[in-house]
Amino acid sequence: MALVVYVGTTRRLGPAADWVEVVRALALPILDRVLDPLLGGVGAAYAIDARERVGVLDATPEQTERLLWQAGCRRNVLSASKTLPDGRRQQGAWVYRGDAVDDGWQVDIMLFEAPSGTAVYAHHEHSSALQPFRPSVLKKHYRGVGYDPAEGEQILVESILPDARWVS
C-alpha cells in the first residue's frame, strides 16, 4: 500500500492504472480494521449513503474514467474504499483539485457499476493532497470539516463534466 500511495501521490495516474483500484480494494479494508481501534474512526473503508449520489452517467466505468481524466481529475489513491448499502463496491476513486475549487479543497468522486451506465457519487471537502504537505488541511479532511455532498455535486455537474449525459 505504501508503494501505491508513493506512486499515486507523485504521478498523475489515469484511466490505464486500474491496478490502483485492485490494491485499494484489497488493502484498505484490512487497514481500516487495524487503524480504527488505534485512531478511533479513521474510516479507510465504509459505506456511503444517498446524500452523495449525483446520478448515473450514460457511460461505462472505463468511459467515465476517461471523461474525468480529460477534465483534469486523477485517481485518488488516498480515498477510502467505499461501498453502497446494496453491497456494490467502488469501481473507481477520482479527485478533482482544479480551478473550480479553492486551494486546499477537492471534489472526491466515486464510481460504481449501474445497470444503465456508471453511478457517480461525490462530495466537496478539504484536500487530502500530500503535496504541498499541509497538516492543518489534512486534519480537517480526515475529521470531515466542511464535507459537503451538494457542493460536490454542483461542481461535478457544472464544472468538471458539464457536457456529460446523465440518465438519472
Side-chain angles (χ1 to χ4, degrees):
M1 187 65 187
L3 178 63
V4 172
V5 170
Y6 173 75
V7 170
T9 56
T10 58
R11 302 178 194 269
R12 279 189 61 129
L13 296 177
D18 283 333
W19 61 270
V20 171
E21 298 303 331
V22 173
V23 173
R24 288 180 65 256
L26 294 171
L28 288 174
I30 295 167
L31 186 62
D32 189 57
R33 283 189 219 114
V34 172
L35 291 180
D36 191 53
L38 296 173
L39 302 176
V42 170
Y46 59 89
I48 59 174
D49 61 39
R51 291 179 303 148
E52 297 189 45
R53 185 179 188 280
V54 176
V56 176
L57 275 177
D58 184 21
T60 66
E62 293 78 19
Q63 292 167 328
T64 302
E65 288 182 339
R66 286 193 294 276
L67 290 172
L68 291 169
W69 176 253
Q70 292 166 356
C73 299
R74 65 178 178 159
R75 288 197 182 273
N76 191 358
V77 299
L78 295 177
S79 180
S81 178
K82 299 171 182 92
T83 56
L84 295 177
D86 64 11
R88 282 182 287 164
R89 296 196 169 279
Q90 185 176 11
Q91 297 298 303
W94 289 79
V95 65
Y96 175 81
R97 296 185 183 107
D99 293 339
V101 296
D102 291 334
D103 185 46
W105 290 85
Q106 67 184 25
V107 176
D108 187 11
I109 304 163
M110 299 139 286
L111 308 178
F112 296 85
E113 286 187 35
S116 59
T118 302
V120 181
Y121 289 68
H123 59 259
H124 183 248
E125 63 186 346
H126 281 280
S127 179
S128 63
L130 298 177
Q131 296 175 359
F133 186 64
R134 296 180 278 200
S136 65
V137 173
L138 275 174
K139 184 177 178 182
K140 289 176 185 174
H141 171 84
Y142 286 107
R143 293 213 170 140
V145 175
Y147 160 86
D148 189 342
E151 180 77 9
E153 176 179 355
Q154 181 179 355
I155 294 169
L156 178 63
V157 171
E158 294 177 6
S159 299
I160 301 170
L161 296 177
D163 299 321
R165 183 165 179 248
W166 298 91
V167 294
S168 69

